[in-house]
Amino acid sequence: MLSYIDLERLTHHRKHPNTKVSFRDSGQLGLVKTPTIDGVIGARVLDIHCRFFTDDIPYGLLLAKWVAEQLDIKTLHLDEWITWGQTLREEHWSNEDKTIEMVFCMNHKELTGLPPSHGINNVNDILD
């Protein structure tokens, strides 16, 4: 598996010396704006309808969490992000014990990218 910097060099033909410089100088990442909107009293507030909350958490982090659960790997930081996102969006992706709430996720298949939503119930079916 390629590292982030090697993948960037291969796919974007960049020559950044390290990840920090790549992030700092990336024209592509610079287009991604902070997900905030004007609040009721004029202060900026998080936009919980932006892709960070509608896509990145339920289709990215939750998928990584599912793989980790299948492999019995602890995911303390993922758990924090998932809990934060589900609290803000008033959804129920995980249980109090931080395991994936499969009943909610399977009843709302359009909200997550979990493999069981597509008939894949074993992590070995997605790993080579």
Side-chain angles (χ1 to χ4, degrees):
M1 178 184 256
L2 294 174
S3 69
Y4 167 81
I5 200 72
D6 290 335
L7 182 61
E8 182 189 58
R9 288 174 182 153
L10 176 68
T11 59
H12 296 292
H13 308 291
R14 303 283 197 271
K15 298 192 184 310
H16 296 118
N18 57 51
T19 304
K20 180 180 178 182
V21 172
S22 170
F23 281 12
R24 185 191 67 210
D25 297 346
S26 171
Q28 189 173 15
L29 290 175
L31 297 175
V32 178
K33 302 299 178 199
T34 304
T36 60
I37 55 175
D38 289 325
V40 200
I41 58 172
R44 302 292 292 174
V45 296
L46 283 174
D47 178 6
I48 61 168
H49 303 291
C50 78
R51 73 170 186 86
F52 294 110
F53 296 102
T54 61
D55 296 351
D56 293 355
I57 295 174
Y59 286 91
L61 299 184
L62 205 58
L63 173 61
K65 174 69 177 175
W66 181 83
V67 170
E69 281 186 10
Q70 293 285 307
L71 299 172
D72 199 29
I73 298 171
K74 293 191 183 302
T75 56
L76 302 177
H77 291 95
L78 283 181
D79 295 343
E80 288 184 36
W81 283 101
I82 291 167
T83 299
W84 178 62
Q86 78 178 6
T87 300
L88 291 174
R89 290 190 48 84
E90 297 180 359
E91 293 180 353
H92 195 69
W93 301 317
S94 67
N95 297 306
E96 286 186 30
D97 67 355
K98 306 302 182 197
T99 57
I100 293 175
E101 172 46 82
M102 290 304 295
V103 173
F104 175 86
C105 292
M106 294 306 290
N107 285 334
H108 299 88
K109 294 178 183 181
E110 74 283 359
L111 298 178
T112 73
L114 292 178
S117 298
H118 306 283
I120 301 168
N121 296 304
N122 186 312
V123 72
N124 293 321
D125 294 338
I126 65 169
L127 299 176
D128 4 87

